[in-house]
Amino acid sequence: MGIASAFVRESMPDRREQRYGDADFDWECRVDTCSATVSWRTRLLGLFHSPYQPVEPRLFHEIMNELKIDFTGFTFVDVGSGKGRALLLASAYPFQHVLGIELLPELHHIAEQNIAHAGTGLCGKLESVCGDAAELIFPRDPLVVFLFHPLPRAGLAQLVDNLQRSLLAHPRPLYVIYANPLFETLLASFRRLRKIGGTHQYSLFTNDQGGASPTSSVS
Ligand SMILES: C[S@@+](CC[C@H](N)C(=O)[O-])C[C@H]1O[C@@H](n2cnc3c(N)ncnc32)[C@H](O)[C@@H]1O
């Protein structure tokens, strides 16, 4: 690639956001969710699991617009919630509960500080817990589960298995948002779950009979 085209490419908004850790959101909300300030130790640990990268606000809101649900009846679960970017974005919607689970203590503690600073927004309850998402006991509410490349394949398989058991034991509506869906095939065997939408950036699934996403294309 020539210098001129490399310069143009690096000047594109998405590349700028990557380099500067998408600082606009943090600046506007006075929080710390960018990946640029993560300590070297946590960055190193991230390489063994899944490196921290916050979701782009534009993409998050685009996905929320595709959910044709009454938010007040659902709990939002962010699997691998990092510094809490997706939790803060979800709190702008009237979910009954917004819950994040994050493996690395440094990221979880920053998420707690961000939540304390930002408040609960429109949702009923907003929290981050520190732990292994592969062992998460899912709340028994109707669920929106957000996966942004959170776990390596084996961990994600275990999480999908746990989620399926939870749904079998306590049937309820489920929506799964899978951003950067590298291991999407793991969801194929999930009973009654069907793909209802998505783009090249994410896939959207549900077991909800009435659940449909009329504006999305299903591949
Ligand atoms: C790509 S980041 C997503 C961050 C956040 N969901 C967002 O969208 O802003 C993935 C996160 O998953 C976390 N993670 C990796 N393995 C995990 C596990 N077993 N349990 C919980 N979190 C995990 C990483 O530490 C990292 O913070």
Side-chain angles (χ1 to χ4, degrees), residues 66-69 74-75 142-146 163 172-177 193 196 204-213:
E66 291 301 318
L67 288 180
K68 311 300 178 196
I69 59 171
F74 282 79
T75 285
L143 295 173
V144 174
V145 175
F146 183 63
L163 183 56
R172 56 205 190 276
L174 167 71
Y175 286 77
V176 178
I177 298 159
L193 199 70
I196 57 166
L204 178 60
F205 302 84
T206 189
N207 66 355
D208 198 355
Q209 294 306 312
S213 182

Side-chain angles (χ1 to χ4, degrees), residues 103-176:
L103 183 69
L104 301 180
E106 176 188 334
L107 301 179
H108 161 69
H109 288 135
I110 295 171
E112 285 194 314
Q113 287 167 7
N114 286 333
I115 290 168
H117 179 77
T120 52
L122 292 183
C123 73
K125 186 177 173 190
L126 173 59
E127 62 178 336
S128 166
V129 298
C130 195
D132 184 352
E135 291 166 11
L136 176 65
I137 296 170
F138 286 90
R140 289 187 191 173
D141 311 315
L143 295 173
V144 174
V145 175
F146 183 63
L147 307 169
F148 176 22
H149 191 42
L151 308 173
R153 191 182 183 90
L156 189 62
Q158 191 181 336
L159 177 127
V160 168
D161 197 44
N162 288 347
L163 183 56
Q164 178 142 226
R165 282 171 203 273
S166 175
L167 266 285
L168 284 172
H170 305 282
R172 56 205 190 276
L174 167 71
Y175 286 77
V176 178

Side-chain angles (χ1 to χ4, degrees), residues 2 15 22 48 55 63 80 85 98 100 103 115 130 134 139 156 163 167 172 174 178 180-181 216:
R15 300 295 287 228
D22 202 1
F48 292 99
V55 66
I63 297 170
R85 166 83 63 87
V98 171
L103 183 69
I115 290 168
C130 195
L156 189 62
L163 183 56
L167 266 285
R172 56 205 190 276
L174 167 71
Y178 190 178
N180 190 12
S216 297

Side-chain angles (χ1 to χ4, degrees), residues 19-93:
R19 280 207 312 277
Y20 295 110
D22 202 1
D24 286 356
F25 177 83
D26 286 6
W27 179 249
E28 280 162 24
C29 302
R30 300 289 193 273
V31 290
D32 167 18
T33 64
C34 69
S35 56
T37 54
V38 173
S39 74
W40 68 265
R41 187 174 176 277
T42 290
R43 273 207 301 275
L44 190 63
L45 286 173
L47 294 179
F48 292 99
H49 304 280
S50 160
Y52 175 62
Q53 187 193 343
V55 66
E56 282 177 41
R58 263 174 312 178
L59 173 63
F60 188 87
H61 292 305
E62 179 189 321
I63 297 170
M64 287 295 120
N65 280 334
E66 291 301 318
L67 288 180
K68 311 300 178 196
I69 59 171
D70 174 6
F71 293 100
T72 59
F74 282 79
T75 285
F76 177 96
V77 180
D78 183 14
V79 174
S81 43
K83 293 180 171 186
R85 166 83 63 87
L87 300 179
L88 297 177
L89 290 166
S91 74
Y93 298 82

